[in-house]
Amino acid sequence: MIEVRNLRKSFNSVTALDGVDFTAPDGQVTGLLGPNGAGKTTALRIIYTVMRPDSGSSRVDGFDSVADRLRVQRRIGVLPDTRGLYPRLTAREHVRYYGRLHGLSGKDLEERIDRLVEILGIGEFADRRAKGFSKGQTRKVALARALVHDPSNLLLDEPTNGLDIASSRAVHRLIRDIRDEGRCVLFCSHIMREVAAICDRIIVISRGKVAAEGTPKELLRQTGKDDLEEMFLAVTGAEEGW
Amino acid sequence: MGGWFRRMMIVCAKETKDNARDRRSLLVALIYPLIGPILLGVMMSLVASALGKDGGEAKAPKTAPA
């Protein structure tokens, strides 16, 4: 479970988070939505310990993201917004490297790698070097390395961006399976159809604050809209355009 | 401490593998130590042979007459 309380973060004069509060419970997929620059990625970065908040707290399974960084890191799998791979390592070597960093080794690690290679359909390029991978292939490898240590909490920043339909569906199925195992999934996306299909709860962040929170049906009812895109525009006050 | 050292070794092993596969940086890393002493040797022998022909008098700085 991920609990975020009164999180504040500023970059010079820009306020990225202005008292964000939310909970992502176990056994549910929680969608974090918001327009560009709303503070979603900043919130995720604080949760996965690469950034310190100015004030407030973020806890993963009860462990503080600042005071208990290592414990938090063991409990989360992260697919960040930037998914750089080492160009001269193969897909399998990437997953193995991250598995080792999480303390896995030997037969157990190799079995997990084989399982992820099969689930994510990486087999065809598992032993090829990452240089020249397509966007979708890169994303699959990044997802595999996020899952290698079997984390109880999964943070996904636009996981299907760049994936074809079949791969997107495979990722959706995987996310549902992870949820059904009782794990917590925090999920950022701009694709409303995907959000509607996967998320049990939605948190809309706008201008560094939680603008709305609830199940998709609750949010539609609250705003009186009949689709999530309209709800999103109503809640964030955003208008069509750049 | 043990965990920290183990992680450092894992990162070192990965970096070594990654860099060993980079032919260009490997070539650059190997060429300078190999070419450097050879180049220095050639230059030294050229200087020595130039000095050897006239005992270095021609290249010696002119001093004021007594």
Side-chain angles (χ1 to χ4, degrees), chain B residues 22-44:
Chain B
D22 182 2
R23 283 185 198 158
R24 191 184 296 174
S25 50
L26 204 64
L27 210 65
V28 169
L30 289 175
I31 270 181
Y32 283 110
L34 287 175
I35 295 283
I38 296 169
L39 210 62
L40 200 68
V42 170
M43 281 168 65
M44 294 288 276

Side-chain angles (χ1 to χ4, degrees), chain A residues 78-98:
Chain A
V78 183
L79 181 75
D81 53 338
T82 50
R83 303 164 178 103
L85 299 181
Y86 299 103
R88 289 175 290 275
L89 293 189
T90 68
R92 204 180 281 275
E93 283 168 349
H94 272 93
V95 186
R96 189 176 293 128
Y97 171 56
Y98 280 84

Side-chain angles (χ1 to χ4, degrees), chain A residues 70 86-90 93 96-97 100-103 129, chain B residues 6-8 10-11 14-15 17-19 21-23 25:
Chain A
L70 281 177
Y86 299 103
R88 289 175 290 275
L89 293 189
T90 68
E93 283 168 349
R96 189 176 293 128
Y97 171 56
R100 281 187 183 150
L101 284 176
H102 279 293
R129 292 185 191 177
Chain B
R6 189 186 60 79
R7 279 197 297 276
M8 194 183 75
I10 293 167
V11 174
K14 187 269 296 172
E15 287 295 325
K17 185 182 271 184
D18 192 31
N19 284 309
R21 288 176 180 176
D22 182 2
R23 283 185 198 158
S25 50

Side-chain angles (χ1 to χ4, degrees), chain A residues 87-143:
Chain A
R88 289 175 290 275
L89 293 189
T90 68
R92 204 180 281 275
E93 283 168 349
H94 272 93
V95 186
R96 189 176 293 128
Y97 171 56
Y98 280 84
R100 281 187 183 150
L101 284 176
H102 279 293
L104 301 170
S105 61
K107 203 180 159 194
D108 184 30
L109 174 60
E110 294 307 317
E111 278 175 5
R112 281 184 197 215
I113 294 170
D114 289 342
R115 198 168 136 246
L116 286 167
V117 163
E118 191 190 325
I119 291 171
L120 292 166
I122 292 174
E124 208 176 294
F125 54 91
D127 297 305
R128 247 173 56 199
R129 292 185 191 177
K131 191 178 181 183
F133 274 6
S134 72
K135 210 172 171 185
Q137 288 170 330
T138 303
R139 208 139 301 198
K140 285 180 185 178
V141 178
L143 196 54

Side-chain angles (χ1 to χ4, degrees), chain A residues 11-209:
Chain A
F11 301 97
N12 298 321
S13 60
V14 179
T15 304
L17 297 174
D18 191 11
V20 169
D21 269 284
F22 66 82
T23 301
D26 289 338
Q28 287 194 12
V29 179
T30 306
L32 203 56
L33 306 187
N36 294 329
K40 304 183 299 291
T41 301
T42 304
L44 283 186
R45 284 181 180 163
I46 291 170
I47 295 167
Y48 64 74
T49 77
V50 297
M51 199 179 268
R52 280 169 175 259
D54 295 338
S55 66
S57 69
S58 152
R59 300 178 84 80
V60 175
D61 292 343
F63 296 107
D64 190 273
S65 295
V66 177
D68 285 308
R69 280 182 64 197
L70 281 177
R71 285 198 178 99
V72 169
Q73 285 169 8
R74 275 187 216 122
R75 283 164 175 79
I76 54 172
V78 183
L79 181 75
D81 53 338
T82 50
R83 303 164 178 103
L85 299 181
Y86 299 103
R88 289 175 290 275
L89 293 189
T90 68
R92 204 180 281 275
E93 283 168 349
H94 272 93
V95 186
R96 189 176 293 128
Y97 171 56
Y98 280 84
R100 281 187 183 150
L101 284 176
H102 279 293
L104 301 170
S105 61
K107 203 180 159 194
D108 184 30
L109 174 60
E110 294 307 317
E111 278 175 5
R112 281 184 197 215
I113 294 170
D114 289 342
R115 198 168 136 246
L116 286 167
V117 163
E118 191 190 325
I119 291 171
L120 292 166
I122 292 174
E124 208 176 294
F125 54 91
D127 297 305
R128 247 173 56 199
R129 292 185 191 177
K131 191 178 181 183
F133 274 6
S134 72
K135 210 172 171 185
Q137 288 170 330
T138 303
R139 208 139 301 198
K140 285 180 185 178
V141 178
L143 196 54
R145 76 181 178 195
L147 291 168
V148 67
H149 59 300
D150 221 9
S152 52
N153 301 274
L154 196 57
L155 279 72
L156 307 170
D157 201 350
E158 299 185 33
T160 59
N161 195 359
L163 294 186
D164 57 33
I165 296 167
S167 302
S168 295
R169 283 192 174 182
V171 170
H172 292 168
R173 204 165 43 244
L174 181 70
I175 291 172
R176 285 195 203 99
D177 289 347
I178 289 168
R179 175 197 61 189
D180 294 343
E181 286 169 9
R183 292 190 255 180
C184 164
V185 182
L186 187 59
F187 173 86
C188 280
S189 178
H190 287 291
I191 308 164
M192 292 297 155
R193 207 156 16 121
E194 181 174 75
V195 170
I198 292 181
C199 294
D200 300 298
R201 287 171 49 76
I202 295 173
I203 294 153
V204 184
I205 293 186
S206 180
R207 297 183 182 90
K209 291 183 176 181

